[in-house]
Amino acid sequence: MTSPEIDEDYFYQRAETELELAQKATHPAAVRAHYIIANHYLDRVYSQPDANAVVEAAE
């Protein structure tokens, strides 16, 4: 099993790579696709629950 920090690093690096590819792409559809993929990776980075956070039940 991988740790959340490793997953965050991987997803962040993949997002960076997709953003670089988007900037180098010449076809508008390719640019759009790379930005969409980068957005999904960033969602994975920033939507993961913090391991140290305390989750309280809604009352």
Side-chain angles (χ1 to χ4, degrees), residues 9-44:
D9 290 342
Y10 171 78
F11 293 133
Y12 188 82
Q13 185 57 45
R14 289 297 305 145
E16 287 288 327
T17 300
E18 290 297 331
L19 292 173
E20 290 173 12
L21 291 171
Q23 292 173 351
K24 294 177 183 177
T26 57
H27 193 282
V31 172
R32 183 175 186 275
H34 286 299
Y35 279 124
I36 289 170
I37 295 168
N39 187 46
H40 286 292
Y41 280 122
L42 290 172
D43 283 346
R44 294 289 303 264

